[in-house]
Amino acid sequence: MRRIRANAIAILTVAWILGTFYYLWQDNKPHATPSSVSQPRAAGGRSHGQRVSAGRLEIHRDDRTIPLISCLSHRTEHPGQVIGHFDEKAYLSRKQLKPGEDPYREHAFNLQESDRLGSERAIRDTRHYRCASITFDADLPPTSVIITFHNEARSTLLRTVKSVLLRSPPPLIQEIILVDDFSADPQDCQLLTEIPKVRCLRNGRREGLIRSRVRGANAASASILTFLDSHCEVNTDWLQPMIQRVKEDHTRVVSPIIDVISLDNFAYLAASADLRGGFDWSLHFKWEQIPIEQKMARTDPTQPIRTPVIAGGIFVMDKKWFNHLGQYDTHMDIWGGENFELSFRVWMCGGSLEILPCSRVGHVFRKRHPYDFPEGNALTYIKNTRRAAEVWMDDYKQYYYAARPSAQGKSFGSISDRLALRRKLNCNSFRWYLENVYPELKIPEQEAVSSVLKQGGLCFESHGTDSVGLGECKGSGSNRPQSQKWTLVEPLIRQQDLCLAITGFITGSKVKLEPCNQKEPRQKWRPKGPALQHMVSGLCLDSQSPAGPPAITQCRPQLASQSWEPQLAT
Ligand code: LR7
Ligand code: MN
């Protein structure tokens, strides 16, 4: 008898231990299998979003202590009340994958898995445990959710819509505006209007996501706009933190941490909470670690993270502020670049951008665009980013061109209305943005941009070891003589190891070359329109006359003798 009881206890203990292991294993499964989304895409392709850096998938276990799902925690009513009598089966069954068909072909993700999954599933609450105890104002204003799409799969689109309705406090959702960007089947959108609060606007021709979002925003009736991609799944309490921050200060533009939905098996994977949006000079978006000083200063993991740029697709913004700041640049086409334009504009014109760690939204990251670009993928990206650079980057746009030489000479349309907007809003300079928002973006090394400084038909050149003057331009491309090649890396105007320096601080003082020294005040210059201004004296480089020795005089950039036209020398 005793033996039997001892055996029973032993069996129960083993079962308990195994059960615990199984539970932990289940909970950790997504961590162990970061799928191919982390892989950088092969060269030559698209330039945003898809190069999900490995860091994006690093999962910090400390970040989550709520182990499992509370998928419908905020729902007080039955799903039927939020979803209505929508015939989901009929909607999905009309678009089924045919036997033998490649499940990745049409949408660049595994359609079979998405279809199989169903539209309501439990996902892990990926927030830091402290997020769950944060409280929000009882009178948060409602939002209009805007989702634009072009030929989205029905199962992912429906899951996006349903997750919004099921995981948001119902009073906060004024409406969901679907903007169908001329998809092949108008019913993809139309049928969804049977779901309460869902509206559908269909473009009469393909407009791209930028103009589509503006159309959705113009139709929105709530005072707060929420933008989402068409293949997302919002997570527990995703909306309240964002609306709270915008309610407190309408100039904030906020986004969630964007979790990863695997394009292969649709597993919902927690993204790192230590990342912010950044970019390189070619205007390629990337996730990057929060700078160490900021990380150290973060005592509370629920605090917002300031970000130089947003990924672009998922954010909340006050509607009046969106309109006041000029919505979007509607001359941008199809996809790409609008997130830089919006981010620069928000920061430079008086607002701020932040990522809220207590808000989580999953997104299916893909490795290629599943749709066509009427003007071609590369040309469209260049046109859009060129517009952003030309309007917002001032003289720093030279680094964009140096990093993306193929952009030179490509057409980008007129930007006069956007320049007028920038003047009207009295925005800060790009230099201000670099100094105050993104000091980590380093100005490229001098080799990167070697230019000739042209004035009229002549070129600025060095004579002997220390004197300078104007001379006939010689050679072209790599045949340019060294004496006519300059690198303008603020604050230095450099030729190999020598730098342009003033010899006195008063008007008429001559300039000469001397060994470079970053800290030497006499060597500090900055562009001022077409002129080059000495930073300390405030005077400008003046050739005086082609024959005269160059000196510094009062800045009058309209003077031909103060106008220096940098042109790439290589
Ligand atoms: O012609 C089009 N019309 C559209 O309505 C082309 C696309 N779209 C829709 C499309 O259906 C989708 O809903 O626009 C949305 C974005 O297109 P995706 O999902 O093909 O591209 P993406 O996920 O790479 O998009 C990221 O970069 C874009 C740059 O223009 C936008 O800013 C997207 O909103 C942005 N997505 C996100 O930020 C989600 C997180 C991904 C990252 C990083
Ligand atoms: Mn997307």
Side-chain angles (χ1 to χ4, degrees):
M1 194 59 192
R2 205 177 243 183
R3 185 99 165 253
I4 292 171
R5 202 190 295 154
N7 277 347
I9 289 171
I11 287 167
L12 279 173
T13 311
V14 169
W16 181 76
I17 291 169
L18 285 176
T20 307
F21 273 122
Y22 180 72
Y23 176 85
L24 290 174
W25 175 72
Q26 281 290 314
D27 186 27
N28 281 325
K29 242 188 342 192
H31 307 287
T33 54
S35 69
S36 53
V37 271
S38 64
Q39 241 112 92
R41 207 183 111 80
R46 55 198 284 215
S47 311
H48 175 141
Q50 69 295 337
R51 272 202 238 165
V52 184
S53 74
R56 186 78 191 144
L57 285 172
E58 274 171 30
I59 287 134
H60 294 225
R61 299 203 174 173
D62 308 349
D63 284 351
R64 42 122 218 135
T65 342
I66 303 170
L68 266 172
I69 345 148
S70 84
C71 118
L72 307 173
S73 65
H74 256 278
R75 202 175 67 202
T76 41
E77 51 253 271
H78 187 265
Q81 281 171 270
V82 195
I83 302 302
H85 301 291
F86 177 65
D87 188 349
E88 182 171 321
K89 274 214 180 87
Y91 178 71
L92 295 175
S93 64
R94 261 172 256 172
K95 281 270 173 70
Q96 293 265 294
L97 199 67
K98 301 190 182 54
E101 215 180 314
D102 173 3
Y104 290 84
R105 191 185 59 85
E106 217 177 321
H107 302 286
F109 55 64
N110 188 343
L111 180 63
Q112 195 172 1
E113 272 305 299
S114 176
D115 288 353
R116 200 182 57 81
L117 205 57
S119 64
E120 266 173 67
R121 62 157 168 173
I123 50 174
R124 195 160 60 83
D125 181 345
T126 47
R127 298 169 302 165
H128 190 279
Y129 72 96
R130 279 204 222 159
C131 296
S133 50
I134 291 179
T135 55
F136 307 101
D137 294 355
D139 60 343
L140 289 180
T143 182
S144 296
V145 178
I146 297 159
I147 302 171
T148 77
F149 68 95
H150 176 70
N151 290 340
E152 183 60 67
R154 286 188 172 192
S155 55
T156 37
L157 181 60
L158 178 65
R159 209 176 298 117
T160 309
V161 169
K162 282 187 75 171
S163 73
V164 168
L165 291 170
L166 295 172
R167 295 200 186 106
S168 314
L172 291 191
I173 303 294
Q174 172 114 349
E175 59 191 347
I176 298 180
I177 301 177
L178 301 177
V179 185
D180 170 3
D181 190 13
F182 201 53
S183 301
D185 184 353
Q187 295 293 73
D188 291 353
C189 186
Q190 205 48 52
L191 289 171
L192 292 176
T193 60
E194 284 162 33
I195 301 175
K197 298 191 183 177
V198 176
R199 298 168 58 191
C200 167
L201 307 175
R202 180 174 161 85
N203 292 340
R205 57 166 193 197
R206 178 89 176 278
E207 297 286 358
L209 72 94
I210 296 118
R211 287 191 288 278
S212 302
R213 280 191 197 153
V214 169
R215 182 173 178 203
N218 287 337
S221 59
S223 64
I224 292 192
L225 306 174
T226 299
F227 294 95
L228 281 181
D229 270 16
S230 46
H231 31 255
C232 290
E233 257 176 294
V234 302
N235 208 325
T236 313
D237 287 351
W238 70 293
L239 191 56
Q240 299 96 311
M242 295 199 280
I243 296 191
Q244 178 79 40
R245 289 293 287 176
V246 173
K247 182 193 168 208
E248 284 165 8
D249 176 350
H250 72 279
T251 66
R252 288 177 188 147
V253 176
V254 300
S255 22
I257 289 186
I258 303 173
D259 284 333
V260 176
I261 300 173
S262 159
L263 83 170
D264 296 312
N265 60 14
F266 278 74
Y268 188 102
L269 310 172
S272 161
D274 292 334
L275 301 175
R276 63 175 196 176
F279 58 91
D280 61 23
W281 285 104
S282 71
L283 293 185
H284 166 82
F285 176 86
K286 57 185 182 190
W287 298 106
E288 61 184 29
Q289 291 288 328
I290 303 171
I292 189 76
E293 321 81 63
Q294 279 179 43
K295 214 169 176 170
M296 306 283 272
R298 279 174 70 78
T299 47
D300 176 357
T302 67
Q303 274 169 358
I305 298 165
R306 272 165 58 99
T307 184
V309 289
I310 51 170
I314 309 177
F315 64 96
V316 175
M317 187 167 181
D318 182 271
K319 179 171 169 168
K320 282 210 196 91
W321 184 236
F322 179 74
N323 289 339
H324 173 77
L325 285 187
Q327 301 190 319
Y328 270 120
D329 177 354
T330 50
H331 292 289
M332 289 188 177
D333 301 323
I334 308 295
W335 178 99
E338 91 296 340
N339 57 323
F340 296 111
E341 198 271 343
L342 178 77
S343 300
F344 298 160
R345 190 153 41 87
V346 167
W347 276 117
M348 289 164 63
C349 311
S352 61
L353 292 176
E354 52 192 38
I355 294 171
L356 304 182
C358 288
S359 176
R360 295 269 187 165
V361 173
H363 169 261
V364 186
F365 288 82
R366 294 182 284 204
K367 296 181 188 169
R368 64 173 172 89
H369 294 290
Y371 40 75
D372 65 307
F373 285 67
E375 311 284 328
N377 169 350
L379 273 185
T380 306
Y381 198 72
I382 282 175
K383 174 181 172 187
N384 294 354
T385 50
R386 236 195 124 166
R387 291 183 68 84
E390 285 287 337
V391 175
W392 296 101
M393 290 172 71
D394 304 330
D395 296 309
Y396 293 89
K397 68 186 178 199
Q398 64 172 303
Y399 302 118
Y400 160 78
Y401 288 115
R404 206 179 267 278
S406 59
Q408 290 182 50
K410 300 279 173 9
S411 68
F412 59 96
S414 163
I415 50 169
S416 53
D417 52 341
R418 298 308 279 180
L419 289 171
L421 170 80
R422 182 172 166 181
R423 272 194 301 275
K424 185 186 92 185
L425 294 173
N426 202 10
C427 306
N428 276 309
S429 63
F430 197 72
R431 183 193 169 87
W432 174 92
Y433 171 83
L434 287 179
E435 282 174 1
N436 294 280
V437 181
Y438 202 13
E440 295 77 17
L441 180 65
K442 292 290 168 245
I443 310 287
E445 287 298 305
Q446 52 172 48
E447 294 74 40
V449 268
S450 163
S451 6
V452 285
L453 286 172
K454 273 200 171 165
Q455 189 170 92
L458 300 176
C459 282
F460 192 59
E461 62 183 13
S462 59
H463 304 142
T465 52
D466 64 356
S467 72
V468 286
L470 278 177
E472 197 187 315
C473 299
K474 297 186 196 96
S476 65
S478 53
N479 293 330
R480 280 277 177 216
Q482 280 303 336
S483 63
Q484 293 190 347
K485 279 195 208 166
W486 301 90
T487 51
L488 311 176
V489 180
E490 262 194 77
L492 302 177
I493 299 177
R494 189 172 187 135
Q495 191 166 87
Q496 285 155 322
D497 296 333
L498 298 177
C499 280
L500 194 67
I502 58 170
T503 52
F505 287 84
I506 52 167
T507 183
S509 301
K510 306 274 179 301
V511 294
K512 63 164 180 128
L513 288 177
E514 62 181 31
C516 295
N517 175 2
Q518 281 270 358
K519 298 211 174 84
E520 173 51 62
R522 291 181 297 102
Q523 295 183 10
K524 293 193 173 178
W525 302 87
R526 69 170 153 236
K528 182 176 181 160
L532 292 166
Q533 183 179 37
H534 180 256
M535 278 158 77
V536 185
S537 66
L539 301 169
C540 282
L541 180 64
D542 195 324
S543 65
Q544 308 213 75
S545 70
I552 43 170
T553 63
Q554 200 194 342
C555 288
R556 275 165 299 174
Q558 66 280 12
L559 277 187
S561 61
Q562 286 191 10
S563 174
W564 304 97
E565 201 187 330
Q567 280 178 359
L568 288 189
T570 45

